[in-house]
């Protein structure tokens, strides 16, 4: 993390990045620029969430007789409206929609595809805990015209950009275009995301694990053994680890990215593929974590190599510091007594 005296807005950072690639047409920059506008609009609404009783409860009419939208539906609509007409995209897909979302026929289509989870962890809104938005950008596969499902169903290693915004004690936009991971904090007084965390590097090993431990009974034995190992006492090996689980993926991964450790949402006996979605949650986070020097896997395979079969498919997720994910994977692979001694 570095702070400089010079204020570098996300806009400027994107333009500087583009200059480093002379062949760039500006489309990717355009996508990121417009997304940052959508996220500022969502921020404005999220920051008013606690005023629901005053401004009108979601799903009901407000004092002006207008229907108050649920925040996740609002976020979904704003991202679409901001991104549909720039001529950069040929199709979009959102966690909120069953099918792909075409670009309206009156607007030009472009060479990129946008996938997004407009407001992740939305059950946390009522308790004023952090929530976030996640996005992922691919180059289209089809040559021209309206984009198709095929354009959306690409393995994660083909992402050209990914990022998230965490609406927490401050609002931060974190993104990668495959050239490191950079974080920008929203300065509400000027309405700009300004560079606050340049070239984020995840520590090689952390001290924290993040998992919903309430589902312990449903976990595979290998998972139970790994968590028991992290909780066991070994001062020299840095154990026991601390447990931290917000239940909001963006916030849990943001902490993991900055301070190290491991985030997990495994498959279990009730949900063999876990809960999180490959295309909207796991892949963008896997790209970011790898770009920061960490690792992401589904337990048996590198996340970014998984070939998707469906837009909304779920996947077990294990990501974070390299050494922590390596060790977790060893436990997951070993169905017997578990690796002896681990890495410390
Ligand atoms: P959502 O897309 O319905 O908001 O669910 C996703 C969220 C993630 O942010 C978080 O990691 C996970 O659900 C928490 O699930 P659980 O309550 O089962 O631990
Ligand atoms: Mg989600």
């Amino acid at each position: 993390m570095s702070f400089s005296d010079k204020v570098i807005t996300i806009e400027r950072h994107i333009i500087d990045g583009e200059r480093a690639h002379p062949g760039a047409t500006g489309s990717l920059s355009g996508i990121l620029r417009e997304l940052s506008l959508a996220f500022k609009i969502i921020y404005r609404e999220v920051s008013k969430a606690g005023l629901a009783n005053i401004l009108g409860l979601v799903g009901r009419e407000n004092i002006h007789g207008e229907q108050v939208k649920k925040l996740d539906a609002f976020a979904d609509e704003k991202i679409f409206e901001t991104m549909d007409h720039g001529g950069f995209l040929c199709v979009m897909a959102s966690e909120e929609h069953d099918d792909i979302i075409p670009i309206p026929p009156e607007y030009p289509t472009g060479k990129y595809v946008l996938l997004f989870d407009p407001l992740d962890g939305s059950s946390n809104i009522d308790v004023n805990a952090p929530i976030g938005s996640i996005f992922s950008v691919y180059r289209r596969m089809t040559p021209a015209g309206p984009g198709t499902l095929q354009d959306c169903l690409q393995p994660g290693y083909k992402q050209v950009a990914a990022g998230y915004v965490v609406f927490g004690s401050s609002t931060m936009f974190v993104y990668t275009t495959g050239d490191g991971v950079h974080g920008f904090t929203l300065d509400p007084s000027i309405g700009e995301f300004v560079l606050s965390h340049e070239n984020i590097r995840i520590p090689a090993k952390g001290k924290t694990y993040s998992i919903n431990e309430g589902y312990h009974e449903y976990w595979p034995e290998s998972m139970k053994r790994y968590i028991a190992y992290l909780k066991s006492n070994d001062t020299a090996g840095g154990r026991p680890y601390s447990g931290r689980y917000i239940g909001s993926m963006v916030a849990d991964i943001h902490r993991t990215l900055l301070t190290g450790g491991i985030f997990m949402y495994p498959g279990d006996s009730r949900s063999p593929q876990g809960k999180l979605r490959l295309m909207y949650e796991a892949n963008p986070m896997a790209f970011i974590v790898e770009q920061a020097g960490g690792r992401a896997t589904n337990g048996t395979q590198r996340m970014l190599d998984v070939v998707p079969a469906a837009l909304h498919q779920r996947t077990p997720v294990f990501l974070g510091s390299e050494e922590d994910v390596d060790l977790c994977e060893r436990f997951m692979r070993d169905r017997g007594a578990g690796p002896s001694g681990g890495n410390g």
Side-chain angles (χ1 to χ4, degrees):
M1 185 171 78
S2 74
F3 293 95
S4 85
D5 296 340
K6 196 167 55 178
V7 172
I8 299 178
T9 64
I10 194 160
E11 177 106 26
R12 174 170 172 185
H13 197 261
I14 292 166
I15 292 168
D16 286 350
E18 195 174 77
R19 281 207 192 100
H21 298 96
T25 60
S27 293
L28 193 55
S29 308
I31 292 170
L32 293 168
R33 201 175 48 236
E34 292 190 347
L35 276 171
S36 76
L37 172 63
F39 293 136
K40 282 190 246 179
I41 296 171
I42 297 168
Y43 156 77
R44 192 183 57 193
E45 221 52 31
V46 165
S47 63
K48 289 192 297 200
L51 297 172
N53 283 327
I54 299 162
L55 301 176
L57 288 172
V58 290
R60 305 239 187 99
E61 282 190 356
N62 66 14
I63 49 165
H64 308 292
E66 301 153 337
Q67 193 72 19
V68 180
K69 277 209 160 54
K70 284 191 149 193
L71 270 179
D72 37 15
F74 174 87
D76 181 66
E77 194 177 285
K78 286 302 154 205
I79 294 176
F80 175 73
E81 282 173 7
T82 313
M83 304 306 298
D84 69 347
H85 54 276
F88 306 126
L89 301 174
C90 65
V91 67
M92 292 185 241
S94 158
E95 203 194 85
E96 293 281 314
H97 296 252
D98 289 342
D99 297 317
I100 58 170
I101 319 171
I103 300 299
E106 62 269 32
Y107 298 130
T109 53
K111 59 182 177 185
Y112 289 104
V113 177
L114 176 69
L115 276 66
F116 57 94
D117 182 353
L119 210 58
D120 185 69
S122 45
S123 58
N124 276 324
I125 295 169
D126 292 345
V127 295
N128 212 353
I131 47 178
S133 302
I134 313 170
F135 68 91
S136 175
V137 180
Y138 293 83
R139 227 169 250 113
R140 70 180 303 167
M141 307 281 288
T142 52
T148 65
L149 180 61
Q150 187 199 351
D151 291 311
C152 296
L153 281 186
Q154 301 189 50
Y157 71 84
K158 293 203 168 168
Q159 289 171 102
V160 292
Y164 63 78
V165 173
V166 57
F167 304 100
S169 45
S170 60
T171 295
M172 259 190 86
F173 187 138
V174 175
Y175 83 93
T176 183
T177 53
D179 192 14
V181 180
H182 310 289
F184 300 79
T185 302
L186 183 65
D187 180 342
S189 68
I190 56 169
E192 295 277 5
F193 285 105
V194 296
L195 184 62
S196 54
H197 297 61
E198 193 168 21
N199 199 20
I200 296 169
R201 302 300 294 168
I202 186 168
K205 183 177 184 301
K207 298 187 180 84
T208 305
Y209 71 95
S210 188
I211 190 169
N212 188 335
E213 209 148 357
Y215 304 152
H216 180 272
E217 276 311 296
Y218 305 111
W219 291 345
E221 285 306 311
S222 50
M223 193 77 247
K224 290 182 183 170
R225 274 197 305 272
Y226 175 59
I227 299 299
Y229 173 82
L230 295 181
K231 289 158 105 171
S232 62
N233 187 13
D234 174 13
T235 315
R239 303 195 313 278
Y241 273 34
S242 282
R244 293 281 186 277
Y245 190 72
I246 297 169
S248 192
M249 186 196 198
V250 176
D252 280 316
I253 289 183
H254 185 62
R255 180 197 58 247
T256 305
L257 193 68
L258 295 184
T259 63
I262 183 165
F263 169 85
M264 293 157 280
Y265 204 113
D268 63 29
S269 58
R270 289 190 309 180
S271 315
Q273 293 305 310
K275 175 183 185 187
L276 301 175
R277 318 274 182 158
L278 176 66
M279 303 309 289
Y280 306 107
E281 293 161 333
N283 268 341
M285 292 307 194
F287 187 27
I288 291 166
V289 166
E290 279 200 6
Q291 278 294 312
R295 281 198 62 210
T297 159
N298 65 4
T300 54
Q301 191 183 7
R302 179 187 176 219
M303 191 66 74
L304 296 181
D305 287 337
V306 174
V307 177
L311 215 41
H312 292 273
Q313 88 184 55
R314 299 176 194 271
T315 177
V317 173
F318 306 88
L319 57 74
S321 294
E322 186 177 5
E323 287 179 30
D324 290 305
V325 177
D326 281 352
L327 183 65
C328 174
E329 209 171 39
R330 278 172 54 203
F331 270 89
M332 298 302 284
R333 282 211 187 105
D334 189 281
R335 309 260 167 224
S340 52
N343 64 347

